[in-house]
């Protein structure tokens, strides 16, 4: 490999949200423990990015900054090269992160008496976007068939047809269950939403993180009638670990949607000065780093799957098709979800995103962040096994 995916950066006491949360949950956590919770990476940034940002810092003024033509072209080129469609320039709206954008989208595109539709278990800010705006939140829960999740289209259509349902937030690829929806599944979602006049907000933030053997289909590649009913949420943040720059790009083909959103998103919400630069640099120079990253994520997936199959065959590890977030069912260990959380954090020193965060249907599950050096995964698996062996020896 050309890049270093083996070094473990020390992120203690530098303000990392993931590491600070670990200390809050267990102040006695030993040195050398790496958390697997919040979805950012434990890898060094691409050297091309660091060199490019150092060059940018040589400019003498860091005032209010907007997107340059070069930035816009870099985003459009990435969409065309990696995802098979080229948005029109006017479709882009820059936002300081997808989560704040979701809050604003619900606020501006729905009324207080209307509802939003989600598919739990799902990324918890989807529900919060409705609740914080005092909207009803309706979930068409994903259905689990053995070790695979599917959409219950009969239930989804029934809930999309409710008179109060106005907007659906779709996670594609899906966080936390790791599904990459097929083109046929996505077209069915689009059809149902269009037929019932439900606006579709597609969070495609993980769209670059697709494992071997799978293909992500962006709704941006569909015909105009679907694009006009859809807002695509994209960002370089998951792909290149740039969440701290708060730089995202909404793709909004419908001019009426843009008219409603631009006064709160496009005109008065300027982004981090270096965020524009970082996005342009990685989209133009760091594709090779991404390709190597995907190999590491897939290796880490196999490492966990093989270990669990040998030592914890009762635990279901769901197939990881996209994202770097592995979803596992720990019900067979016969602990309730709060006891499971305590065991993980105080005995195994595993700090994960607990399944209950993603909705009631996530209780007893765990989401594990695989974006770290493989040796970190291997050491953690041994800790889990040793902690479990001590537990069953007592009982």
């Amino acid at each position: 490999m050309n890049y270093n995916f083996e070094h473990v950066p020390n992120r203690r006491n530098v303000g990392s949200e993931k590491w600070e949360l670990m200390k809050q949950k267990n102040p006695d956590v030993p040195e050398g423990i790496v958390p697997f919770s919040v979805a950012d990476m434990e890898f060094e940034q691409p050297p091309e990015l660091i060199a490019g940002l150092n060059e940018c810092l040589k400019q003498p003024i860091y005032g209010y900054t907007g997107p340059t033509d070069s930035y816009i072209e870099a985003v459009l080129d990435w969409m065309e090269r990696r995802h098979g469609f080229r948005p029109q320039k006017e479709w882009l709206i820059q936002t300081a992160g997808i989560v704040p954008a979701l809050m604003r989208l619900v606020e501006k595109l729905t009324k207080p008496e209307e509802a939003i539709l989600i598919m739990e278990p799902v990324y918890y800010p989807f529900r919060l976007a409705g609740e914080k705006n005092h909207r009803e939140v309706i979930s068409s829960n994903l259905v689990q068939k053995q070790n695979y999740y599917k959409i219950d289209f009969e239930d989804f259509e029934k809930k999309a047809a409710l008179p109060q349902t106005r907007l659906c937030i779709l996670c594609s690829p899906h966080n936390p269950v790791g599904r990459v929806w097929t083109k046929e599944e996505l077209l069915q979602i689009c059809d149902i939403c269009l037929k019932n006049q439900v606006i579709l907000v597609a969070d495609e933030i993980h769209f670059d993180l697709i494992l071997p053997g799978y293909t992500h289909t962006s709704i941006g590649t569909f015909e105009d009638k679907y694009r006009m009913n859809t807002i695509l949420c994209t960002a370089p943040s998951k792909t290149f670990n740039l969440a701290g720059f708060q730089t995202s790009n909404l793709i909004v083909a419908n001019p009426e949607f843009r008219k409603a959103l631009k006064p709160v998103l496009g005109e008065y919400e300027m982004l981090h000065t270096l965020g524009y630069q970082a996005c342009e640099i990685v989209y133009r120079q760091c594709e090779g780093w991404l390709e190597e990253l995907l190999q590491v994520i897939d290796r880490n997936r196999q490492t966990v799957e093989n270990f669990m199959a040998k030592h914890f065959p009762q635990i279901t590890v769901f197939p990881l098709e996209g994202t770097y977030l592995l979803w596992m069912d720990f019900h067979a260990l016969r602990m309730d979800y709060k006891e499971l959380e305590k065991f993980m954090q105080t005995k195994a020193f595993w700090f994960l995103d607990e399944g209950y965060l993603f909705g009631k249907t996530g209780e007893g599950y765990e989401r594990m962040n695989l974006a770290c050096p493989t040796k970190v995964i291997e050491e953690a698996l041994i800790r889990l096994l040793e902690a479990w062996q001590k537990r069953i020896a007592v009982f």
Side-chain angles (χ1 to χ4, degrees):
M1 284 191 171
N2 297 318
Y3 297 97
N4 185 357
F5 289 99
E6 296 303 322
H7 177 246
V8 185
N10 185 353
R11 299 175 69 193
R12 284 178 178 261
N13 304 315
V14 297
S16 165
E17 180 181 5
K18 179 163 58 174
W19 287 66
E20 292 301 318
L21 283 172
M22 177 174 68
K23 286 199 303 182
Q24 292 172 22
K25 291 174 178 177
N26 185 351
D28 298 321
V29 62
E31 289 286 335
I33 301 298
V34 176
F36 302 114
S37 54
V38 177
D40 63 16
M41 303 184 196
E42 303 297 327
F43 295 126
E44 296 178 354
Q45 301 289 169
E48 297 91 341
L49 172 63
I50 296 172
L53 290 177
N54 283 333
E55 191 65 29
C56 294
L57 287 169
K58 293 178 181 178
Q59 63 181 347
I61 297 175
Y62 310 112
Y64 296 119
T65 305
T68 63
D69 289 343
S70 181
Y71 169 86
I72 296 295
E73 287 301 311
V75 174
L76 299 181
D77 288 347
W78 184 264
M79 297 303 162
E80 184 173 31
R81 188 168 66 252
R82 300 288 301 195
H83 300 289
F85 75 107
R86 188 176 186 84
Q88 296 179 23
K89 293 181 180 181
E90 60 268 25
W91 294 359
L92 293 187
I93 299 178
Q94 286 73 46
T95 70
I98 296 301
V99 172
L102 292 176
M103 300 292 174
R104 294 295 184 88
L105 289 171
V106 172
E107 175 192 4
K108 290 299 177 182
L109 297 178
T110 68
K111 298 175 182 177
E113 65 273 16
E114 294 176 328
I116 70 166
L117 178 60
I118 62 176
M119 299 180 201
E120 290 183 329
V122 76
Y123 185 48
Y124 41 89
F126 287 15
R127 176 171 284 278
L128 288 176
E131 293 176 344
K132 294 291 186 181
N133 284 292
H134 308 289
R135 276 31 168 195
E136 180 185 2
V137 180
I138 300 168
S139 180
S140 177
N141 295 338
L142 299 178
V143 291
Q144 185 181 330
K145 302 291 187 181
Q146 296 180 332
N147 67 336
Y148 202 67
Y149 278 92
K150 294 185 177 182
I151 298 166
D152 183 344
F153 278 107
E154 182 179 351
D155 182 70
F156 181 78
E157 184 158 20
K158 178 181 176 182
K159 289 173 177 174
L162 292 172
Q164 70 268 37
T165 305
R166 173 59 177 157
L167 182 146
C168 172
I169 308 179
L170 169 69
C171 202
S172 179
H174 194 279
N175 169 17
V177 308
R179 274 295 316 277
V180 173
W181 306 118
T182 65
K183 182 177 181 179
E184 291 73 24
E185 287 171 319
L186 292 169
L187 280 169
Q188 195 167 351
I189 291 169
C190 287
D191 272 324
I192 290 170
C193 287
L194 189 62
K195 181 175 71 174
N196 291 284
Q197 298 182 307
V198 174
I199 299 168
L200 181 59
V201 175
D203 179 1
E204 296 192 1
I205 196 169
H206 293 275
F207 64 170
D208 294 313
L209 300 165
I210 308 302
L211 271 65
Y214 300 96
T215 301
H216 169 75
T217 301
S218 174
I219 294 175
T221 63
F222 290 172
E223 57 186 298
D224 282 345
K225 67 177 182 179
Y226 298 128
R227 287 197 294 211
M228 293 292 282
N229 192 52
T230 302
I231 295 168
L232 294 182
C233 302
T234 78
S237 53
K238 297 303 178 207
T239 309
F240 294 102
N241 209 32
L242 300 179
F245 282 118
Q246 295 293 295
T247 300
S248 305
N249 297 285
L250 303 188
I251 300 175
V252 188
N254 189 315
E256 291 302 314
F257 294 167
R258 293 200 302 272
K259 183 178 179 181
L261 296 172
K262 276 207 167 185
V264 293
L265 290 175
E267 294 179 7
Y268 301 111
E269 191 176 274
M270 288 188 173
L271 307 188
H272 191 294
T273 300
L274 290 180
Y276 295 108
Q277 302 285 355
C279 179
E280 182 174 351
I281 291 166
V282 295
Y283 277 176
R284 291 194 186 281
Q285 300 180 37
C286 299
E287 209 159 349
W289 184 90
L290 170 59
E291 295 301 333
E292 291 191 13
L293 167 72
L294 293 173
Q295 296 177 42
V296 176
I297 300 303
D298 196 43
R299 182 176 69 209
N300 289 349
R301 172 196 63 79
Q302 293 177 53
T303 299
V304 176
E305 286 183 355
N306 292 340
F307 189 93
M308 290 298 189
K310 180 177 180 180
H311 297 287
F312 293 96
Q314 70 273 42
I315 292 174
T316 300
V317 180
F318 291 88
L320 184 61
E321 300 177 353
T323 82
Y324 49 71
L325 306 167
L326 190 63
W327 187 242
M328 293 180 280
D329 181 354
F330 279 78
H331 281 96
L333 298 191
R334 298 185 179 180
M335 290 182 269
D336 69 36
Y337 69 96
K338 284 296 187 180
E339 185 183 8
L340 175 64
E341 180 178 22
K342 183 177 179 181
F343 168 76
M344 288 294 192
Q345 295 174 3
T346 63
K347 304 300 181 182
F349 301 119
W350 272 39
F351 297 85
L352 307 151
D353 262 0
E354 300 296 322
Y356 66 81
L357 296 173
F358 303 93
K360 185 75 174 174
T361 58
E363 293 179 2
Y365 295 77
E366 300 281 7
R367 191 194 76 172
M368 184 180 189
N369 183 338
L370 298 181
C372 61
T374 304
K375 62 184 176 183
V376 171
I377 300 280
E378 293 170 338
E379 291 166 0
L381 290 167
I382 296 298
R383 288 200 312 274
L384 178 65
L385 179 60
E386 291 176 347
W388 179 247
Q389 289 173 337
K390 289 179 182 178
R391 179 182 173 86
I392 60 176
V394 171
F395 289 95

